[in-house]
C-alpha cells in the first residue's frame, strides 16, 4: 500500500528516492484537514488570487481548475490546487456562514450549532438568547400555584442560559 487508507496520504518506503517530496505532500494535506476551515461552500469557480492555505468546499457546477471536484475540499498551496475527497464525519468551519458543516458520507450538511441557535435535522430547536421575562405579579386574583410554576419555568430557562436573568 502506497497511501493511507482514509485520506490517501503518501507513505514512505525504505530506499525510496526523494522521500522529502512524499513527506511534504502528506504534511500539506494534513495541514488542510487539521482543524479545517474553508472560506465558503457556495463557490463553484476558483478564486483569482487565493492565498496559500486557503480552502473551499467546491460547490455544484464547478468549472475551471475545480471541474469534476464538486463536494471536494480545494486548498490552494504554493504548488497549486490540492483536492481532498471528504469522508463521513469530517467537520469544516465555514468563514462565510459562521458555523461548521459536516460530511455525512454522501453530502455536506450544516452543523447543529449555528450563530442563530441549535438545530436538529435542520430545524431550529433552540433560538438565540432572548431578553429577560418579567416575573409574574399583580392581577385581581392571584393563583399562587400557577405563579410558582411559571417562576420555576423561568428559573430553569435562565439556568440553561436560554433567556437572560
Amino acid at each position: 500500500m502506497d497511501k493511507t487508507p482514509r485520506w490517501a496520504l503518501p507513505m514512505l518506503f525504505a530506499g525510496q528516492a526523494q522521500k522529502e517530496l512524499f513527506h511534504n505532500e502528506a504534511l500539506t494535506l494534513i495541514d488542510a484537514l487539521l482543524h479545517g476551515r474553508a472560506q465558503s461552500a457556495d463557490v463553484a469557480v476558483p478564486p483569482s488570487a487565493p492565498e496559500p492555505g486557503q480552502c473551499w468546499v467546491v460547490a455544484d457546477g464547478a468549472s475551471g481548475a475545480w471541474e469534476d471536484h464538486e463536494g471536494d475540499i480545494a486548498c490552494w498551496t504554493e504548488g497549486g490546487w490540492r483536492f481532498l475527497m471528504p469522508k463521513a464525519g469530517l467537520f469544516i468551519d465555514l468563514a462565510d456562514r459562521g458555523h461548521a458543516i459536516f460530511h455525512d458520507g454522501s453530502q455536506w450538511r450544516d452543523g447543529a450549532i449555528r450563530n442563530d441557535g441549535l438545530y436538529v435535522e435542520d430545524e431550529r430547536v433552540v433560538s438565540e438568547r432572548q431578553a429577560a421575562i418579567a416575573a409574574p405579579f399583580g392581577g385581581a386574583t392571584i393563583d399562587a400555584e400557577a405563579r410558582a410554576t411559571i417562576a420555576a419555568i423561568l428559573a430553569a430557562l435562565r439556568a440553561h442560559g436560554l433567556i437572560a436573568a
Side-chain angles (χ1 to χ4, degrees):
M1 189 163 56
D2 62 344
K3 294 184 178 190
T4 61
R6 194 159 154 78
W7 292 109
L9 302 175
M11 302 284 280
L12 300 179
F13 296 98
Q16 181 179 24
Q18 298 182 332
K19 288 182 182 183
E20 67 277 3
L21 296 177
F22 291 88
H23 178 74
N24 289 343
E25 180 66 16
L27 289 176
T28 298
L29 298 175
I30 289 168
D31 186 54
L33 291 169
L34 188 63
H35 303 293
R37 180 167 175 88
Q39 302 304 306
S40 180
D42 302 312
V43 177
V45 178
S48 59
E51 295 286 326
Q54 286 185 317
C55 299
W56 286 261
V57 175
V58 180
D60 290 340
S63 63
W66 290 0
E67 189 172 347
D68 297 325
H69 288 284
E70 286 91 348
D72 289 354
I73 302 163
C75 296
W76 181 251
T77 68
E78 291 177 0
W81 289 107
R82 298 288 198 281
F83 297 97
L84 294 151
M85 186 180 302
K87 308 289 183 201
L90 177 63
F91 277 80
I92 296 285
D93 187 57
L94 292 179
D96 65 346
R97 293 189 193 174
H99 66 264
I101 59 174
F102 71 96
H103 203 273
D104 67 3
S106 61
Q107 66 180 347
W108 289 100
R109 297 186 176 277
D110 286 304
I113 300 171
R114 305 179 197 173
N115 290 340
D116 65 341
L118 176 68
Y119 288 72
V120 174
E121 296 180 10
D122 282 331
E123 183 177 340
R124 189 169 66 182
V125 295
V126 177
S127 68
E128 298 168 312
R129 189 173 195 178
Q130 303 297 310
I133 299 171
F137 67 93
T141 305
I142 297 175
D143 182 338
E145 187 175 341
R147 289 184 182 276
T149 302
I150 292 170
I153 291 169
L154 291 173
L157 292 172
R158 288 180 182 125
H160 288 287
L162 299 174
I163 60 174

